[in-house]
Amino acid sequence: MSSPDLGFTTLEHERLLDELPLRGELPPWLTGSLLRTGPAKFEVGEQRMRHWFDGLAMLHRFTIAGGRVSYGNRFLESRSYRAAQERGKIAYSEFATDPCRSLFKRVQTLFSPELSDNANVNVGKLGERFVAMTETPLAVEFDGHTLAAAEVRPYRVPGHLSTAHPHMDRASGSMLNYAAKLGASSQYRFFSLAPHDGETRVLASLPVKEPAYMHSFGLTERWLVLAEFPLVVNPLALALSGRPYIENFRWKPERGTRFTLVDRRTGEATGPFETDACFAFHHVNAYDSGGEVVVDLCAYRDARIIEDLYLERLFAGKPVASPALTRFRLSIAKRTVSSQQLSDGDVELPRINYCRCNERPYRYVWGTGSGPSGWIERVVKVDTTNGATLSWSQPHCYAGEPVFVARPDAGGEDEGVLLSVVLDAARESSFLLVLDAGDLSEIARAEVPHHIPFGFHGQFAAAPPTA
Ligand code: CO
């Protein structure tokens, strides 16, 4: 098998392995755990998930210590997962799969805590707790070593929808996030979660008639950055339509893309800044630059990418839209937006040197790039100052999000390593790839005895979890 299909195929094995076979030599300073989540189970009983984003979540842990790599994987024991196991059928509504048939159940689902906690999008750390996140207000806490889930402790998220891409507030250590409150009068809200007690504080509320689908948001030292793409939903239709969640959103390109800036101190909004229609899942970074705000996105021409990721289409080998790394400059005084493509190739699943550069001027973006198959085959590095792009690839291999880890004594922004989970379709198994983040040369790889379905996001926790 050399197509990417294996990456959308269920992995049933759960393993804890003390040492993975290693090629190459790991840098002695590299100590900690890469924790990742992603969909890993695409059918329950007779039912099949319809979309890549629907698969039941599995956690993966690669722990690096003393030049060795141990590994563990375990299904995230969410309420959704447990219910699916017990009932032998899909129990909660997912992104594009909806098991509810009756109208009554639909309404009940949207406005009650029956939301899915199938946290297959990202992992984060709130204080000392690891949490797996999706786009509902439900995060699942888990043990960073055994990957066992603790009870679902709902965040007190002030809304019905949220993102799995929070930012960290440098001053307070709080998690900053966005939520949409849906109802007769809907609102976009920014809020912070305190690191230790999870106390919620709403920073800003902006009224909105038809909320846009938003997967992430931007942050500068001064502003929270909202990018509303014209993929919008009528909240009442969402409650009543009977269609799966994402299929209630409508593409309305005539609305264009609207940026709104929210002052982090006062909560006051400035905008909208309007430009042509586009769509993005991921903000890369943003920063203040004189009278401008620079906002970098992995931008698609439209929202077709969501349709491209239905499993039936993926297995049929249909083409998948690819995003361009695009810089938007918002002039605060003139209320104008200009845009510019930063690289010739496509970039998705972007990462930067967050510790040093998040919300600040920066130079390098790492991410994934497509290859001849049309699917993600490469790890790429883009120099945003001149578009120069480096890439790593290997035949029949499909790369995952490259997570940057800085060398402790690093001088330059790109001094460190990248960790990427790569599927080798020819060997029908995956490996953890360790690249030099500067020149993308291979340092080492640790081989896993099974395939790891394509995941989305993960984080490196520098302190190794205690066994
Ligand atoms: Co994402």
Side-chain angles (χ1 to χ4, degrees):
M1 191 187 278
S2 62
S3 77
D5 293 2
L6 189 61
F8 307 107
T9 305
T10 294
L11 167 65
E12 292 284 2
H13 292 293
E14 295 180 309
R15 289 183 155 113
L16 280 174
L17 300 168
D18 289 338
E19 191 170 352
L20 296 180
L22 185 71
R23 268 207 258 161
E25 201 173 321
L26 292 164
W29 56 264
L30 187 62
T31 302
S33 290
L34 176 69
L35 295 164
R36 291 185 56 77
T37 185
K41 187 173 173 64
F42 297 96
E43 56 285 308
V44 180
E46 298 293 300
Q47 295 168 299
R48 296 187 62 82
M49 298 293 187
R50 301 175 66 222
H51 198 278
W52 181 28
F53 296 179
D54 292 334
L56 291 172
M58 180 179 272
L59 297 169
H60 301 266
R61 171 182 59 75
F62 292 88
T63 299
I64 300 171
R68 297 173 184 191
V69 183
S70 69
Y71 168 79
N73 70 310
R74 186 162 177 162
F75 279 108
L76 179 71
E77 293 140 353
S78 63
R79 215 168 53 178
S80 301
Y81 176 74
R82 290 196 186 114
Q85 291 293 93
E86 283 161 20
R87 299 178 209 168
K89 59 184 188 183
I90 301 165
Y92 288 82
S93 302
E94 302 296 343
F95 185 79
T97 301
D98 190 347
C100 302
R101 293 282 169 243
S102 81
L103 185 66
F104 173 71
K105 189 90 188 290
R106 280 286 311 175
V107 177
Q108 208 186 26
T109 298
L110 188 68
F111 298 110
S112 80
E114 292 294 300
L115 294 162
S116 176
D117 58 353
N118 176 30
N120 65 12
V121 185
N122 202 355
V123 298
K125 220 176 168 194
L126 187 62
E128 292 308 304
R129 299 188 281 146
F130 288 104
V131 287
M133 296 176 286
T134 179
E135 296 184 337
T136 67
L138 302 173
V140 182
E141 194 178 326
F142 65 91
D143 182 295
H145 183 75
T146 65
L147 307 180
E151 65 181 299
V152 178
R153 253 202 266 183
Y155 282 174
R156 289 183 288 268
V157 170
H160 301 90
L161 305 172
S162 191
T163 85
H165 288 284
H167 285 275
M168 217 260 288
D169 181 72
R170 288 179 191 271
S172 66
S174 295
M175 202 183 250
L176 301 174
N177 210 341
Y178 149 91
K181 179 197 162 280
L182 305 179
S185 60
S186 299
Q187 288 177 333
Y188 293 133
R189 289 173 167 176
F190 281 111
F191 64 98
S192 66
L193 283 170
H196 299 295
D197 55 10
E199 188 72 30
T200 305
R201 195 160 70 88
V202 174
L203 308 171
S205 290
L206 314 173
V208 56
K209 241 169 97 181
E210 296 197 315
Y213 174 72
M214 269 181 278
H215 182 82
S216 62
F217 63 97
L219 185 74
T220 77
E221 287 175 332
R222 176 161 181 204
W223 307 101
L224 295 147
V225 183
L226 205 61
E228 282 178 90
F229 311 107
L231 183 67
V232 298
V233 69
N234 174 329
L236 197 63
L238 180 63
L240 300 176
S241 76
R243 281 191 293 271
Y245 167 70
I246 196 63
E247 293 174 10
N248 295 284
F249 285 76
R250 293 282 165 268
W251 179 246
K252 297 186 174 175
E254 65 282 1
R255 292 168 57 110
T257 296
R258 300 176 189 171
F259 293 94
T260 302
L261 303 175
V262 174
D263 191 301
R264 289 174 65 177
R265 281 170 308 141
T266 65
E268 217 168 292
T270 301
F273 299 76
E274 299 186 359
T275 186
D276 295 344
C278 66
F279 176 77
F281 292 111
H282 296 117
H283 281 254
V284 180
N285 196 11
Y287 59 90
D288 304 306
S289 174
E292 292 184 329
V293 175
V294 174
V295 183
D296 292 348
L297 301 174
C298 294
Y300 297 83
R301 300 166 74 90
D302 55 37
R304 198 197 85 192
I305 179 65
I306 291 175
E307 286 154 49
D308 293 345
L309 300 176
Y310 278 88
L311 293 164
E312 199 178 78
R313 291 180 60 95
L314 289 166
F315 282 121
K318 296 257 172 74
V320 176
S322 53
L325 184 60
T326 309
R327 172 158 294 175
F328 297 84
R329 287 180 177 275
L330 282 50
S331 163
I332 295 173
K334 292 191 237 157
R335 285 278 177 96
T336 54
V337 181
S338 64
S339 67
Q340 165 204 4
Q341 200 170 313
L342 293 179
S343 127
D344 291 337
D346 56 296
V347 181
E348 209 10 311
L349 300 172
R351 301 291 297 210
I352 62 167
N353 181 339
Y354 290 96
C355 282
R356 184 189 292 212
C357 302
N358 198 31
E359 66 188 279
R360 297 171 180 168
Y362 75 118
R363 183 165 179 179
Y364 298 111
V365 179
W366 295 275
T368 54
S370 61
S373 70
W375 190 247
I376 290 166
E377 294 183 21
R378 300 178 299 135
V379 174
V380 298
K381 176 192 184 192
V382 178
D383 182 337
T384 61
T385 62
N386 58 18
T389 302
L390 298 174
S391 86
W392 174 95
S393 67
Q394 187 187 303
H396 312 301
C397 285
Y398 302 92
E401 172 199 53
V403 174
F404 175 79
V405 185
R407 214 176 63 199
D409 56 348
E413 182 185 323
D414 61 346
E415 286 179 24
V417 299
L418 298 175
L419 304 177
S420 169
V421 175
V422 179
L423 174 69
D424 183 339
R427 291 180 56 240
E428 301 194 3
S429 60
S430 296
F431 58 90
L432 176 71
L433 176 66
V434 185
L435 297 178
D436 182 309
D439 63 9
L440 299 198
S441 60
E442 180 172 337
I443 293 172
R445 64 174 70 184
E447 290 162 355
V448 178
H450 54 233
H451 82 283
I452 296 179
F454 296 127
F456 301 114
H457 306 290
Q459 307 297 336
F460 187 76
T466 46

